[in-house]
Amino acid sequence: MNKFVNFVDQKISPPLTKLGENRYMVAVKNGMILTVPFTIIGSIFMILAQFPAQGYQKFIEPYKNVLMVPTSVTFSVLGLIAVIGISYSLAKVYDIDSIRSVLMSLVSFLLVQTGLNDEGAFALKTENFGTLGVFSAILISFIVVEVYRFCLKRNLSIRMPDSVPPAIAKSFEILMPLLLSLSFFWIIRILLNFDINAGLNALFSPLVMGLNTLPGIVLFMFLRSLLWCVGIHGGAVLSVADPIFLTMLGANAEAFAAGQPAPYITAAGFVNFIFIGGGGATMMLVIFMMFSKEKGLRTLGRLSFPSSLFEINEPIVFGAPVVLNPILMIPYTLCNCLLAIIAYALMHFDLIGRPVATVPWTTPPILMQYLTSGGDWRAALYGVFALGLTGAVYYPFFKMLEKERLELAAGEEEKSEIQIDCTVEGEAE
C-alpha cells in the first residue's frame, strides 16, 4: 500500500496539480463558480414549476409559465456569466484592468454569437448565450485578456497626457486591444463565416460523451479520490471538466422543463448521488466514530457530525485522517467509485431521476438527491440506500482503525506506567 501511495504522490499528483494551478485553469474554475448561484435560483423556480405531483401540477398549471421565467433567464445567460467571470479572473491573475477586460471580452463574445436571420441580415443568436456558449466563452476570454496584456507590455496603446482624468485615459488605453480583438473575431465569424461556437462544441463533444459514459465517470471519480487521498483538492484540480458538466445540466434542465427525458446522466449534480456527507461518502464513517471505543475517534466524530450533515468533511479527511492513511484510503476511493457505478446504472435504466437542478452543495443527504433529481421520491430512497451501503463498506475499515488506535493508546499507557515505576524506584533508592 505504501508503494501505491508513493506512486500516486510522485507520479500522478504532480502533473494533475500543475494542471490545476495553471493560470487558465484557475481562471476557468473561479469564473465558472460565478454561475453556481444563478443555476441554484433557476433550479428552485424550475422545481416549483415542475414538481412531480399530480395534484400540485393541476393547481400550478395556470402559473407554470410565470414560474419558469427566472429559470429561463438564469439558464439562458450562463455563457454570458461565464465570459464575465473567466475574463475577470484571468485579468486578476495578470493584475490588469479587470472591468475593461470583462467589457472587451463580453463585446467579443456577442460578436461571435451572430448569424444571418431569415431576412438575410446579421443578428444576435441568443440561443448561444446559455450553456451552448460556455466553450466559446472560455476561449474568447483567454484571447481577449491575452491581447490586452500583450498591448500593455508592448506599449501598443494610446497614452493620454497626465492632465487627462484617469477614467478617460483608461478608456483610450483599451482602444488598440479592443480593435485587435474585435477585428480578429469579426474576420473569423463574419468574413470567413466560421461558427466558433458550433466548432468548439463539436471539438469538445467527445469529452462530453466520454464523461457521460460509465468508464469515463468512474475514472474521473477514481482520479478525484486519489488526489484527495494524498491531500490535494481533487475537485479544484479537475475543475477543468466543470464546463462540460454544466453544459450537460443545461440540456437536462431544458428537457425537464419541456417534460422530456433528461439526455445526460453525469450532468452537474451527479456527484450529489456520490458524496453522501462529503467526498468519499464519509457520513457513516463519522457516525461510527461518534460511538467509537477510542476516545480520540469518538470526540472527532461528534465534533464532525454537524459539518458532515451539511456535506463538509474536511475535519474527517484531515483529522481521522483519510489523507495518506492506507486503512481509510481504500473505502474512501471504493465508495466514490461504487456509488458512481450504482447511480449511473439506476439512471441509465430510469429507476431514479437524472440531475436536472442545482442545489446548494451543503444540502443534507437524501434531501440532496431528492432535489437534484427534480423531486423524484425514488432518488430520496437511493439516498437512504447509499447511506446503508457506504456504512457496510466503511465498517470493517473503521474497526481496523479503531483497533489500531486502541492498541497504540494501550502501548502509550503501558509505556507511561513503566516510566512512572522507574521514577518511583529511582526515588526510593
Side-chain angles (χ1 to χ4, degrees), residues 151-152 154-159 172-177:
C151 290
L152 290 176
R154 298 293 189 276
N155 291 318
L156 299 176
S157 58
I158 299 175
R159 301 286 183 178
F172 277 90
E173 186 181 82
I174 69 167
L175 283 176
M176 184 57 69

Side-chain angles (χ1 to χ4, degrees), residues 47-68 256-259:
I47 292 172
L48 288 175
Q50 304 292 339
F51 192 77
Q54 189 173 357
Y56 176 81
Q57 280 297 309
K58 186 178 292 186
F59 167 76
I60 209 70
E61 185 63 33
Y63 316 104
K64 185 176 289 188
N65 289 337
V66 176
L67 280 172
M68 285 299 295
F256 183 75

Side-chain angles (χ1 to χ4, degrees), residues 280-300:
T282 53
M283 170 68 80
M284 291 306 298
L285 174 63
V286 172
I287 292 175
F288 292 148
M289 290 172 61
M290 290 172 62
F291 302 98
S292 174
K293 298 175 183 177
E294 202 276 318
K295 184 178 179 181
L297 290 176
R298 186 168 64 250
T299 301
L300 179 61

Side-chain angles (χ1 to χ4, degrees), residues 1-9 226 229-230 322 324-331 333 397 400:
M1 177 58 72
N2 288 334
K3 289 183 178 179
F4 178 71
V5 172
N6 291 334
F7 173 77
V8 173
D9 192 29
L226 286 183
C229 287
V230 294
V322 173
L324 298 178
N325 185 335
I327 295 177
L328 293 182
M329 284 172 61
I330 296 174
T333 304
F397 293 95
M400 289 170 59

Side-chain angles (χ1 to χ4, degrees), residues 319-390:
V322 173
V323 174
L324 298 178
N325 185 335
I327 295 177
L328 293 182
M329 284 172 61
I330 296 174
Y332 183 93
T333 304
L334 181 60
C335 282
N336 276 342
C337 295
L338 188 60
L339 289 182
I341 294 170
I342 293 172
Y344 188 99
L346 292 174
M347 292 179 190
H348 177 76
F349 293 107
D350 295 322
L351 297 177
I352 61 174
R354 299 180 181 186
V356 296
T358 301
V359 298
W361 64 272
T362 51
T363 305
I366 302 175
L367 179 62
M368 169 84 85
Q369 293 76 49
Y370 178 73
L371 293 177
T372 302
S373 62
D376 187 349
W377 62 270
R378 298 171 302 174
L381 286 183
Y382 164 84
V384 177
F385 164 78
L387 283 171
L389 178 64
T390 54

